[in-house]
Amino acid sequence: MLRRTFLTLSAAALVAATGSVAPTAARAQDTFTIGLSNGWVGSEWRTQMIDEAVAAAEAWADRGVEVEVIVQSADVDVQGQIAHVRNFMNQGVDAIIINPNSPTAFDPIFAQAAQRGVLVIATDAEVSSQDAIYVGIDQKGWAMKSAEWLAETLGGKGSVVAINGVAGHPANQMRVEGYREVFGKHPDIEILNEVNANWDQAQGQQAMRTLLATYPDINGVWVQDGMAAGAWRAINEAGRTDDIAATGEIRVDFLTQWKEKGYNSAASVNPPGVMASALNVAVLKLQGHEFKDDVFGGVYGNAIYLPIPLITNENLDEVYAEVKDKPGYYSVTTVVTPDEAEQYFD
Amino acid sequence: MTEHAKTAPSNHTSLTQRLRSFDLRRHTYLLSVVFFLILCGINIALQPSFLQPGVMVSNLSTFLPLILVSIGQTYVILASDIDLSVGSIVSLVNVATVSIIEGMGGTGGAIALGLTTGLGLGIAAGLFNGLCVALLRFQPIVTTFATGIIFAGLALWILPQAGKQVPATVWQTYGGSILGVQTVIWVLTLAVIFALVLARTRFHHALLATGGQMQSAFQTGLHVLRVRITAYALSGLFSALAALCLVGETASGDPLLGTGYTLSSISAVVLGGTALSGGIGGFIGSVFGAMILGLIDNVIFFARLPFEYQGLVQGLIVLLALAGGVFVSRR
């Protein structure tokens, strides 16, 4: 309350001082409440995702907009996450941003939210509901980017293996399609084997060890995030660091290892900042901006795909310099700023 | 509490003790009502819109599946058994129903067949539990833990990955109203009427007798075997009903959907004053117990606690509610 008064006053003072009716004055009255729902706790990535979204909300104050966030983050089943959404609706939030536990189960509750005029944005995992939109990365594109790097690095030929996450998980499925499509374009690249290591570092290391023992002539490894550090440790143990190219991941402790040992690696960035990006899009929408007609795509036709950065040996020093003081579990991130988000609107 | 209440008052016990044990036997659920009202008060203070009809219906939709599973669990616990497979039954019925409805093209007939098959499957799963425990004399905890793994495995076999969708009419009907009354209120009302009628039957008296003194019940000629199997079948039936509500709620199938219901339902039964050792209690307490667990989530949400502390506070409140019961009955 105090803060709002202060903002209004300062905006009024600004208008008085400049003597112009700047948009700031109109926006100074903007107050939005946004609910953030996260249904799975258990990785630092998710924690960072929420922290960044909360920071993005606070940053709107500099633009004279007060964005209040309510966070619901707990290990819940689908029904528990539906209860999150219900509570947000009963609370009277303006928008809900959700990292959903299921692609399909939210159709009914999102329909109810839309009826009440609540804006719903899913992030990190796409949802089928046509009453919601998705703001996040294209998981298939994420995989294609690093697969293309690997194919190029190998000169379009060689033997590769893939280490994937959880079989049957929608994001994993899309990623597998992505690298298969890329390698399929290179007839001289042979996929020797594809294994699942459940996004677990230790299992990734174990899988890599077995693969190295089974196929001594491996040239390239396409491995997903969370397991790349383990896979690289196995490659290192086997003394193959110099003759194998493998994808990496975006956590600071891996980047440190990568830089010190001079790996031949590259990593697509799935930034934890996606929820903050979604929040910035949400605020613009709440301010009354309308989406451009052609921004939506994706599996369900309701997705705005965000850019996916790629870390390679060429920009590793630069990226590392930015994050080297962060803790080891910190992930390289990017956020679509409010100014950048305006490109999605008319 | 259980010790006092279970042993019949002997000549050595004083009159006041007799009165108290008599009182507790009849009104084990009262404490849960008190706790429920306190939580309602706190919730209203934190969320003034709590009493609006729309908000109450929305809360009921959230609580309903656990209420149903807990009613079913009550019968098993009253017979001094336990059912650790309820969560898996919920998952199994959910994926089976959704798969049938989608597989048959989502027509009216497909929906009817899906729903009835779901209920039948729940009862069958309950009967299977009952046969293993009562007829084959397997230990209830271990048996239902194992059958739970089987049911969960079947659910994964039917639908390995969350997905599939039921027609919009299903969830629109569930989220809307029938004859001017919200569907969720219909479901709760019918379930409560069913349980009230059941509580007046010979079966229910036999159930309390079985749970209280299984040996004596058997010796007095009660069909202990039939009673225990029926209790498990009822548990399966109510779990299936909860699963159908979840179909209406989520419009899709999820093989891991029910995981949380097993322990929550046991907590709700105990919070509702039913003794884990059997023989004492009833479904009314379990309904309040389930609503208490749901309200605790609400209170935590509307108290705007930082999310890092939510789990901790939730656990402490549940413990407090349980401890309250123990202290009051011991005094």
Side-chain angles (χ1 to χ4, degrees):
Chain A
M1 193 59 195
L2 259 178
R3 189 162 164 209
R4 197 192 307 175
T5 319
F6 171 74
L7 282 173
T8 319
L9 282 177
S10 57
L14 188 74
V15 175
T18 57
S20 69
V21 185
T24 340
R27 283 179 187 176
Q29 272 123 39
D30 289 351
T31 305
F32 301 118
T33 310
I34 298 181
L36 306 179
S37 168
N38 171 41
W40 183 65
V41 192
S43 79
E44 293 87 356
W45 192 95
R46 293 280 182 125
T47 315
Q48 193 180 334
M49 174 189 82
I50 291 170
D51 290 346
E52 288 192 40
V54 171
E58 282 166 4
W60 273 94
D62 300 341
R63 298 171 161 253
V65 182
E66 193 187 345
V67 181
E68 193 193 355
V69 292
I70 310 169
V71 179
Q72 286 261 277
S73 179
D75 273 323
V76 286
D77 51 23
V78 171
Q79 215 241 345
Q81 207 173 13
I82 290 174
H84 284 181
V85 176
R86 279 220 179 87
N87 277 338
F88 285 144
M89 282 158 60
N90 292 339
Q91 174 90 8
V93 298
D94 301 296
I96 294 167
I97 301 175
I98 182 168
N99 189 333
N101 276 0
S102 157
T104 51
F106 294 97
D107 286 16
I109 193 71
F110 287 172
Q112 283 179 32
Q115 264 173 16
R116 293 214 207 167
V118 179
L119 171 69
V120 181
I121 302 186
T123 190
D124 194 38
E126 294 182 44
V127 290
S128 60
S129 171
Q130 294 303 307
D131 296 300
I133 63 167
Y134 170 78
V135 174
I137 65 159
D138 172 14
Q139 299 290 352
K140 185 176 173 187
W142 177 90
M144 292 178 78
K145 207 149 197 170
S146 57
E148 270 155 15
W149 166 84
L150 187 60
E152 227 167 82
T153 305
L154 296 176
K157 59 174 191 285
S159 305
V160 299
V161 290
I163 302 176
N164 294 316
V166 175
H169 189 286
N172 187 67
Q173 217 64 30
M174 292 175 78
R175 291 173 172 190
V176 171
E177 279 169 33
Y179 74 75
R180 280 189 187 158
E181 191 175 314
V182 170
F183 295 144
K185 284 186 216 149
H186 299 272
D188 294 332
I189 288 184
E190 190 196 352
I191 303 179
L192 293 175
N193 204 341
E194 297 159 279
V195 299
N196 296 313
N198 305 317
W199 287 310
D200 179 89
Q201 208 183 106
Q203 287 186 46
Q205 185 169 355
Q206 189 62 43
M208 191 67 237
R209 222 177 263 150
T210 317
L211 288 166
L212 283 168
T214 321
Y215 311 101
D217 56 342
I218 290 175
N219 308 108
V221 182
W222 190 87
V223 51
Q224 293 188 23
D225 51 358
M227 302 169 293
W232 266 109
R233 214 171 294 131
I235 295 171
N236 210 18
E237 273 169 21
R240 303 283 306 274
T241 310
D242 295 332
D243 61 327
I244 285 183
T247 55
E249 52 184 288
I250 57 169
R251 287 159 56 115
V252 170
D253 48 10
F254 178 76
L255 296 183
T256 312
Q257 208 186 77
W258 178 355
K259 208 171 134 61
E260 277 170 8
K261 306 224 161 97
Y263 296 156
N264 190 5
S265 187
S268 298
V269 179
N270 177 13
V274 283
M275 189 175 250
S277 305
L279 182 129
N280 289 336
V281 170
V283 176
L284 286 174
K285 178 76 174 103
L286 290 176
Q287 286 182 325
H289 296 89
E290 288 300 324
F291 286 112
K292 282 181 185 159
D293 291 334
D294 57 349
V295 292
F296 294 109
V299 189
Y300 305 106
N302 60 357
I304 296 180
Y305 284 144
L306 303 179
I308 302 166
L310 184 73
I311 307 171
T312 62
N313 275 320
E314 275 157 34
N315 61 0
L316 176 61
D317 289 343
E318 200 182 310
V319 173
Y320 186 70
E322 275 173 38
V323 297
K324 67 174 190 300
D325 298 327
K326 301 280 186 187
Y329 55 77
Y330 184 88
S331 295
V332 174
T333 188
T334 52
V335 175
V336 176
T337 63
D339 289 330
E340 288 163 354
E342 277 176 13
Q343 64 176 298
Y344 305 121
F345 295 90
D346 273 332
Chain B
M1 172 181 89
T2 56
E3 288 307 311
H4 276 285
K6 261 184 72 178
T7 37
S10 68
N11 295 333
H12 302 293
T13 53
S14 69
L15 181 69
T16 49
Q17 261 177 322
R18 260 195 242 182
L19 274 175
R20 192 163 53 239
S21 64
F22 172 78
D23 205 29
L24 277 171
R25 261 175 182 277
R26 293 214 136 180
H27 304 292
T28 48
Y29 64 88
L30 275 183
L31 198 71
S32 67
V33 176
V34 172
F35 208 80
F36 171 76
L37 291 175
I38 293 173
L39 279 169
C40 282
I42 298 174
N43 210 328
I44 292 167
L46 293 169
Q47 180 202 7
S49 65
F50 181 75
L51 292 173
Q52 282 173 16
V55 174
M56 286 175 69
V57 167
S58 126
N59 279 331
L60 179 61
S61 314
T62 305
F63 305 162
L64 189 56
L66 181 60
I67 292 176
L68 294 172
V69 178
S70 305
I71 293 177
Q73 183 76 262
T74 312
Y75 299 115
V76 178
I77 290 181
L78 280 177
S80 87
D81 289 322
I82 201 156
D83 191 346
L84 296 183
S85 72
V86 286
S88 302
I89 297 178
V90 169
S91 301
L92 176 60
V93 173
N94 169 261
V95 296
T97 303
V98 172
S99 301
I100 289 172
I101 293 176
E102 203 198 64
M104 292 185 58
T107 59
I111 294 169
L113 183 74
L115 298 182
T116 43
T117 311
L119 287 179
L121 198 59
I123 297 172
L127 282 174
F128 182 68
N129 280 333
L131 288 172
C132 289
V133 171
L135 188 67
L136 303 176
R137 308 272 180 99
F138 292 167
Q139 206 282 333
I141 292 183
V142 181
T143 308
T144 54
F145 178 67
T147 57
I149 296 172
I150 297 173
F151 301 147
L154 280 172
L156 268 169
W157 175 68
I158 293 173
L159 188 66
Q161 182 193 331
K164 295 210 179 201
Q165 273 168 305
V166 297
T169 47
V170 174
W171 54 264
Q172 278 162 357
T173 310
Y174 181 75
S177 46
I178 299 171
L179 301 176
V181 177
Q182 294 283 328
T183 310
V184 286
I185 297 179
W186 276 116
V187 176
L188 180 65
T189 311
L190 292 176
V192 168
I193 290 175
F194 178 87
L196 279 174
V197 170
L198 197 69
R200 298 178 158 271
T201 57
R202 290 172 61 101
F203 157 76
H204 201 265
H205 293 295
L207 182 69
L208 293 179
T210 303
Q213 295 284 333
M214 200 176 288
Q215 195 66 29
S216 330
F218 180 73
Q219 282 164 354
T220 49
L222 277 173
H223 281 284
V224 171
L225 183 76
R226 200 191 294 163
V227 167
R228 291 174 80 191
I229 293 176
T230 311
Y232 273 108
L234 283 168
S235 175
L237 171 68
F238 275 96
S239 301
L241 211 57
L244 299 188
C245 290
L246 288 168
V247 172
E249 179 112 316
T250 64
S252 66
D254 182 345
L256 307 173
L257 186 68
T259 323
Y261 286 98
T262 304
L263 289 179
S264 298
S265 68
I266 295 170
S267 308
V269 171
V270 175
L271 278 173
T274 297
L276 270 180
S277 47
I280 302 158
F283 82 95
I284 299 175
S286 307
V287 172
F288 282 101
M291 291 196 289
I292 287 171
L293 288 176
L295 280 177
I296 291 173
D297 284 349
N298 271 16
V299 165
I300 286 171
F301 173 84
F302 287 103
R304 300 283 186 92
L305 285 175
F307 70 90
E308 294 91 339
Y309 303 119
Q310 289 178 359
L312 182 69
V313 174
Q314 184 182 19
L316 287 173
I317 299 177
V318 175
L319 200 60
L320 192 73
L322 283 170
V326 173
F327 283 130
V328 169
S329 59
R330 267 196 198 151
R331 200 159 35 82

